[in-house]
Amino acid sequence: MNLLFKNWMLENGLHEMASFNFGKHAGKQHTDRDIPSDYLAWMRRQLRQTGRGFDLRDRGRTLSAAEQERLLNQELDRRGYVEEEPGQAPPQQARPPARPAQQAPARPAQQAPARPPQPQTPKWIWAKSIVAKSEYGIPAPNLDLAMKQYDETSWMFVILDPEEGRLVTRGLIPTADIKNVVKSQRKEGQLVEGTKPSKVLEQIMPEKKEGSQTIPDKYITAEQKAIDQKFEQMLASPAKSHMVINALAGSGKTTVLKHLAWKYARGKPKNSWLYLVFNSKNKEEASGDFPTSVQVETTNGFAGREVLGNNLLVPTDRIQDYSKFEKARMVADSEAFAGITESLNIPNQIKEYGPDPKRLDSTKRNLWYTLRSLNSEFKMEALKLASLGKAFAIDPRQQAELAQNLQGVMEKYDLNTDMESIKEKVKKNSPWQIPLLSDLMGEDFMARNYTSELKQAATWLLHELMPHASKEQFKADADPHKRGHLGTNQSLGTVRDFDDDLWFSAIHANELRWPKYQIVLADEVQDFNIAQQVMLSKLAEAGAKIVAVGDPHQAIYRFRGADGGAFAGLSSMLKELSEDKDVEKGLTANFRSRQAIIDLANEEGREADHVSNLVKGRQFKEEPGRLGKGQATKDEQTYDDAFDTLGKEWRDMGEVRQTAFLSRTNEPLLHAALRLLAKGIPFIILGTDLAKELNAHITKLSDLFFLNKDADIVDLQDRMKGYNEEQQDKYAGKAAYTGKMKMLKEITEAMDAAIGQFIAEQQQGNIGEFRRWLESKFGGLDIEKGGKAGRDARAEYKRQVKELNPVILSTVHKSKGLQFHRVYILRDDMWPHPRSTREEDLEQEYNNKYIGRTRAEDELHILKLKGQPGYKEGGESEM
């Protein structure tokens, strides 16, 4: 009888009622009782009060309220239980007995709190089911299980799928029945044990075979075989021949490239093949997966080392990991650029009013700050236009075409040619400035458009950014790739930044010596800008046969010059260069996602006139004990449901199933991180530094209560909770503040949990130390970054994934190229992004949405909008 009620409590998330880990039951050993009597009495009171039973089943049959009350009476009588206050009226709401409030003992500043005794982590062991037991949640015999003793009366199990590397589901088996249901297993005569189910799973998964990664004949699809045959013809023919593969999400494009390399490049001279990848992360992943005859490079790295580095025509060194500024930014920060803007009739605040606004009267001081903002905004837009000009391989030496080419770029992109944000700020806050600014400029400030001025500024920047053009100086740091010695002044003209790698090689393409390769494999070509396309054309001219792979529906880098028509343009270019015009092949079979996810993605694609032809490529087994067709829901699960699911898994297993939260923007990730932190569930933030927002909240409270960095963290904790209570009372019932108060409550609760965790780890600490700890937890890992910082981030990411199995928090942009067993989509209303208005931008918004859906392998849950932080019904956002 105990087990029936206990299972019901576990299924409904009432874990504390079903165990003895808090309050007066904490740390006690119970040999003959499972659920405390006061909890059983609470259940009986609810039955008597409401007349309704719980969703309690026995052997597949739901027990009636009368039967449940009879069982409760029987058990409580057996225990000799007597209500402490028999005449007490039943509670008005159905809730379990309250958990006693934990009152923190007063302690002097900096005193370490007493550390609670740490319970010994139970070991999970490998077992197999002997029979099917549906009442326990075991659907078939011979299933692999991870098991641990849950308490005196039951064992917990987790169904494992070693073939797929998955944790499937979990449940409880009565100790009395354990020998009839499961049998422990051994590997090489030894029990297989682990601290978590995933650690048991790791030890029983089939070992991966090293060596060749060709696709076996029995598994190769018709589409893959057509590509293989086409490639074989390309190799055999002396004619120029190229291939473009349109590969949908999850269709195994990298697998196909590996197949071609291992089948046809083995035994070839080293570096006779070239594989061009998108970023340093892709390069690192690919380097060990391809034969040594294949040279793996990012397009930027290849342009810098193999093209520019081996030519004496434009010798420059690469600025790598330079603190704060790249070359273009430093040129734009120069006095020379300030002179250019001044010549374009954009007044300079220092020239007009001097360097120190604090010495000015209020009128001139306000004008000083407005002019500074105007100059800063103009500089940012000029830099953006110059950067796009580089991506489109605009050569400033071609004077006759330069203005027209820049105009073409401006027509493709939304630049802030009106400086609208500055004008709105002046109009709203200090309209008296308008006539004064107009007088300074000699024209109507509010009506002025800066299109012509931006083109002129970008033209000057492009000229100045050419090799050996700039005479501006910068101080070299310890990077060995820079010229000169540490701390010496160096000329910006002798170096190049990230954009320059591709730009220099593109505008000087006909003047440079291009290396020769037999085969060039180019990945993610839907995101190739014009400069990268020039690279491929020059490699083809040098004798290489090109295999270009991409998915036009995953193009999301238009903001850096990868135009929406990049894939079609590159396909057309290679077709023109190929004597064999049959260059286009396709991959449509998705090997990543289960059928339910594919169906949902196709359904959404049909509604949006987007991708709707994904087909399942991987034959997942659908027998009992496996995940089968998977699960995909839209507007069914709530935000709280997602965290409740993770919380239950964490409490039961000490880990969660591999999970990611994906969103369009960064804001929802902070809220999710706070919820996970409050529950003690480990997580990784990809790319984004969320610690800044948390530290901003600390700064606000520190300033408000005059707390410096050396103040005890408990002082901040007390002040923070008091401030939250005060604000909640102050704005209670005021609809305009509902969202702000909800966010304040959430951040207070999460910060309270964070401080508790910090104290448990550090024993003591001050605000400054807590800030650094937050940065370590919320700082984010940029696994796409180049250089040592990127390598360190990727190593740390792999370590945490292996050891902690953390929840991943990421924008869809940062998740590209990754995949996860379970995906939750946050704030689905943020697609398309509110600032996306052009048709080309809207198309990339749909691509972004499609990428997010297709990261999921087993489960995809697009969460209900209602209840998500920042969402208001009616389409308005609180963010």
Side-chain angles (χ1 to χ4, degrees):
M1 191 282 297
N2 257 329
L3 190 62
L4 288 174
F5 288 109
K6 180 163 189 169
N7 279 331
W8 174 82
M9 290 176 177
L10 289 172
E11 289 168 2
N12 288 275
L14 303 176
H15 295 71
E16 293 177 335
M17 294 173 63
S19 57
F20 301 91
N21 60 355
F22 75 95
K24 65 182 181 181
H25 307 289
K28 292 185 179 180
Q29 296 297 320
H30 295 261
T31 56
D32 62 339
R33 298 177 183 177
D34 185 12
I35 305 170
S37 299
D38 50 356
Y39 290 161
L40 294 177
W42 167 79
M43 296 181 76
R44 182 171 64 180
R45 287 197 300 272
Q46 302 315 308
L47 285 169
R48 291 172 176 174
Q49 176 190 1
T50 64
R52 296 191 301 273
F54 302 97
D55 186 18
L56 196 63
R57 294 180 176 85
D58 184 26
R59 297 178 178 84
R61 181 178 66 86
T62 300
L63 297 179
S64 67
E67 289 175 301
Q68 293 178 32
E69 186 174 354
R70 178 180 59 80
L71 290 171
L72 286 166
N73 287 335
Q74 178 182 317
E75 177 65 14
L76 289 169
D77 288 345
R78 184 184 70 78
R79 297 183 182 188
Y81 179 82
V82 178
E83 293 273 6
E84 292 182 4
E85 299 180 33
Q88 183 181 2
Q92 296 302 306
Q93 294 182 348
R95 65 176 68 179
R99 177 172 178 169
Q102 300 293 320
Q103 297 294 332
R107 62 180 181 87
Q110 302 298 332
Q111 178 182 334
R115 197 182 191 112
Q118 300 299 308
Q120 187 174 358
T121 304
K123 287 289 183 74
W124 294 79
I125 62 169
W126 179 32
K128 280 186 179 284
S129 58
I130 301 171
V131 295
K133 280 282 188 178
S134 58
E135 60 267 40
Y136 302 148
I138 297 180
N142 204 37
L143 296 177
D144 289 288
L145 310 171
M147 300 197 65
K148 73 170 182 180
Q149 188 165 8
Y150 191 77
D151 52 33
E152 294 295 331
T153 63
S154 58
W155 283 66
M156 175 165 282
F157 68 87
V158 177
I159 297 178
L160 310 176
D161 187 346
E163 191 175 323
E164 297 290 346
R166 304 306 202 253
L167 306 179
V168 182
T169 189
R170 67 193 188 284
L172 291 173
I173 302 173
T175 301
D177 205 15
I178 195 77
K179 292 183 179 179
N180 301 320
V181 181
V182 300
K183 183 179 181 181
S184 64
Q185 300 295 298
R186 293 177 180 268
K187 186 176 182 180
E188 298 177 353
Q190 300 293 321
L191 282 173
V192 176
E193 298 179 330
T195 55
K196 297 183 288 190
S198 61
K199 297 303 180 184
V200 175
L201 177 62
E202 284 177 11
Q203 299 176 67
I204 65 173
M205 287 173 61
E207 294 183 8
K208 291 183 178 180
K209 295 181 180 179
E210 300 294 333
S212 174
Q213 297 189 42
T214 56
I215 304 171
D217 290 341
K218 63 179 180 179
Y219 294 124
I220 197 165
T221 67
E223 290 176 330
Q224 293 168 340
K225 193 168 186 178
I227 291 169
D228 184 295
Q229 292 172 344
K230 165 67 177 175
F231 188 74
E232 191 172 23
Q233 293 168 9
M234 288 169 57
L235 286 178
S237 172
K240 292 182 178 179
S241 185
H242 309 292
M243 179 164 43
V244 180
I245 303 172
N246 188 333
L248 296 183
S251 59
K253 57 184 177 59
T254 306
T255 299
V256 170
L257 294 180
K258 288 179 188 176
H259 168 83
L260 297 179
W262 281 102
K263 185 173 181 179
Y264 297 104
R266 294 179 78 183
K268 298 288 183 182
K270 189 174 182 180
N271 297 342
S272 60
W273 284 39
L274 173 66
Y275 178 31
L276 291 172
V277 297
F278 188 71
N279 56 33
S280 296
K281 176 177 74 73
N282 300 134
K283 177 183 176 180
E284 193 172 288
E285 291 171 349
S287 294
D289 289 341
F290 281 76
T292 55
S293 54
V294 179
Q295 179 183 349
V296 182
E297 298 279 0
T298 64
T299 54
N300 280 78
F302 176 75
R305 283 188 298 274
E306 303 298 326
V307 181
L308 299 174
N310 291 329
N311 282 272
L312 298 178
L313 183 66
V314 282
T316 51
D317 290 331
R318 175 72 136 76
I319 301 180
Q320 293 186 348
D321 297 326
Y322 191 81
S323 58
K324 296 185 180 179
F325 300 113
E326 296 277 22
K327 175 183 175 180
R329 175 81 62 171
M330 288 188 280
V331 169
D333 284 341
S334 68
E335 290 185 11
F337 184 78
I340 293 297
T341 57
E342 193 173 3
S343 72
L344 296 173
N345 196 26
I346 301 173
N348 182 281
Q349 72 278 6
I350 295 175
K351 290 287 182 69
E352 294 293 335
Y353 302 112
D356 187 1
K358 294 179 182 178
R359 295 180 178 272
L360 302 173
D361 61 48
S362 60
T363 298
K364 291 180 179 179
R365 184 166 60 248
N366 278 278
L367 287 168
W368 193 98
Y369 284 115
T370 298
L371 290 177
R372 186 182 67 172
S373 297
L374 178 63
N375 276 272
S376 177
E377 187 75 15
F378 181 85
K379 179 169 62 179
M380 292 300 296
E381 293 302 303
L383 279 169
K384 180 178 177 181
L385 179 56
S387 180
L388 288 170
K390 291 180 182 183
F392 280 87
I394 292 177
D395 189 343
R397 297 172 299 176
Q398 298 174 354
Q399 296 286 349
E401 304 169 5
L402 183 54
Q404 182 180 350
N405 289 338
L406 283 173
Q407 181 62 36
V409 172
M410 295 187 79
E411 290 173 358
K412 287 176 175 287
Y413 290 85
D414 291 319
L415 278 82
N416 182 17
T417 57
D418 287 322
M419 304 295 127
E420 197 60 41
S421 60
I422 308 297
K423 293 177 182 177
E424 284 297 317
K425 185 176 180 180
V426 169
K427 183 179 178 180
K428 181 178 179 180
N429 299 321
S430 49
W432 55 265
Q433 291 190 40
I434 295 174
L436 298 176
L437 290 167
S438 298
D439 287 342
L440 276 174
M441 297 180 182
E443 59 183 299
D444 187 345
F445 167 72
M446 296 300 291
R448 185 175 178 182
N449 181 278
Y450 297 81
T451 299
S452 175
E453 290 86 345
L454 282 173
K455 282 193 291 187
Q456 292 179 68
T459 297
W460 183 88
L461 281 170
L462 289 174
H463 278 291
E464 194 72 4
L465 294 171
M466 290 284 284
H468 304 288
S470 177
K471 304 304 179 186
E472 294 295 328
Q473 299 285 305
F474 77 107
K475 282 197 178 295
D477 62 12
D479 193 309
H481 296 278
K482 298 190 179 76
R483 297 185 174 205
H485 302 287
L486 176 64
T488 60
N489 286 327
Q490 301 295 311
S491 170
L492 278 174
T494 64
V495 296
R496 63 182 186 276
D497 62 19
F498 186 83
D499 285 348
D500 292 338
D501 287 336
L502 292 168
W503 184 49
F504 285 3
S505 64
I507 62 177
H508 293 288
N510 295 327
E511 308 158 40
L512 298 169
R513 296 189 304 273
W514 288 81
K516 296 182 181 295
Y517 295 91
Q518 181 190 16
I519 298 293
V520 172
L521 308 174
D523 209 347
E524 304 284 8
V525 297
Q526 77 277 351
D527 292 319
F528 272 31
N529 58 35
I530 297 298
Q532 289 165 309
Q533 292 179 40
V534 169
M535 174 186 289
L536 283 188
S537 70
K538 299 308 291 185
L539 287 170
E541 286 181 22
K545 295 183 178 183
I546 311 291
V547 178
V549 186
D551 179 0
H553 295 103
Q554 292 192 66
I556 56 174
Y557 287 94
R558 184 173 181 272
F559 64 89
R560 69 171 189 83
D563 192 74
F567 185 88
L570 190 142
S571 179
S572 178
M573 179 190 79
L574 291 180
K575 187 174 183 179
E576 183 69 25
L577 295 173
S578 181
E579 293 182 26
D580 176 7
K581 302 304 179 184
D582 178 28
V583 301
E584 296 182 5
K585 299 295 176 184
L587 290 172
T588 60
N590 180 297
F591 292 88
R592 175 186 300 144
S593 305
R594 295 178 187 269
Q595 189 65 58
I597 297 163
I598 290 172
D599 290 344
L600 188 148
N602 282 336
E603 181 182 348
E604 288 192 333
R606 282 189 290 272
E607 294 172 357
D609 193 25
H610 203 256
V611 177
S612 59
N613 61 328
L614 281 171
V615 296
K616 186 176 72 170
R618 188 173 178 181
Q619 298 305 310
F620 293 99
K621 293 182 179 179
E622 297 183 7
E623 62 214 36
R626 293 180 181 264
L627 294 165
K629 294 182 179 180
Q631 188 178 8
T633 66
K634 186 173 183 178
D635 300 330
E636 293 181 21
Q637 293 198 26
T638 68
Y639 190 71
D640 288 340
D641 289 339
F643 291 99
D644 287 346
T645 296
L646 295 173
K648 292 173 185 176
E649 289 179 355
W650 179 252
R651 286 190 294 266
D652 288 346
M653 302 190 299
E655 64 179 335
V656 299
R657 291 179 56 210
Q658 188 188 86
T659 300
F661 284 90
L662 304 181
S663 63
R664 173 63 183 84
T665 60
N666 291 321
E667 291 90 343
L669 302 179
L670 176 59
H671 292 281
L674 293 171
R675 288 288 292 268
L676 292 169
L677 184 66
K679 289 179 177 291
I681 299 173
F683 57 87
I684 291 177
I685 302 162
L686 290 187
T688 305
D689 183 0
L690 299 182
K692 288 181 180 179
E693 297 191 44
L694 298 176
N695 272 318
H697 188 64
I698 295 174
T699 298
K700 176 182 176 180
L701 293 174
S702 297
D703 291 346
L704 185 64
F705 296 110
F706 302 100
L707 299 173
N708 62 32
K709 65 178 183 178
D710 296 321
D712 189 345
I713 190 60
V714 174
D715 290 342
L716 174 66
Q717 186 179 32
D718 293 341
R719 300 278 191 173
M720 177 182 66
K721 290 192 284 190
Y723 176 75
N724 175 59
E725 291 173 4
E726 175 189 301
Q727 294 295 300
Q728 299 295 341
D729 290 343
K730 181 177 180 180
Y731 295 106
K734 297 182 180 180
Y737 290 90
T738 300
K740 289 182 180 179
M741 291 302 100
K742 182 178 180 182
M743 184 172 180
L744 177 61
K745 182 175 182 290
E746 287 176 352
I747 199 169
T748 300
E749 290 174 349
M751 291 279 283
D752 186 42
I755 291 171
Q757 188 173 336
F758 167 73
I759 292 173
E761 290 181 15
Q762 309 291 328
Q763 291 295 295
Q764 62 182 6
N766 57 39
I767 292 175
E769 291 166 341
F770 180 61
R771 283 181 183 273
R772 291 190 289 276
W773 182 86
L774 279 177
E775 288 169 2
S776 72
K777 300 291 183 183
F778 290 88
L781 291 174
D782 191 350
I783 61 176
E784 295 179 357
K785 195 172 184 178
K788 183 179 183 300
R791 291 192 296 274
D792 291 346
R794 289 187 287 276
E796 180 63 14
Y797 176 79
K798 291 176 182 177
R799 183 193 69 79
Q800 291 192 36
V801 167
K802 181 176 177 61
E803 295 180 9
L804 304 175
N805 192 19
V807 174
I808 306 300
L809 303 172
S810 176
T811 62
V812 170
H813 261 281
K814 292 293 183 181
S815 75
K816 191 177 179 185
L818 301 176
Q819 56 194 50
F820 311 96
H821 296 172
R822 175 170 58 200
V823 168
Y824 291 110
I825 300 292
L826 298 171
R827 289 299 304 275
D828 198 43
D829 60 313
M830 295 302 289
W831 283 277
H833 193 279
R835 289 198 296 269
S836 297
T837 55
R838 286 176 177 267
E839 184 178 342
E840 301 95 324
D841 293 326
L842 288 171
E843 179 65 25
Q844 295 222 340
E845 287 295 306
Y846 289 123
N847 292 348
N848 187 285
K849 191 173 184 176
Y850 158 73
I851 290 169
R853 270 56 169 169
T854 54
R855 298 310 92 196
E857 298 178 55
D858 305 329
E859 291 184 39
L860 171 65
H861 302 291
I862 303 166
L863 299 177
K864 284 183 179 179
L865 291 171
K866 187 175 182 180
Q868 290 196 52
Y871 174 73
K872 280 186 177 180
E873 291 191 68
E876 296 181 4
S877 172
E878 295 172 2
M879 293 180 179

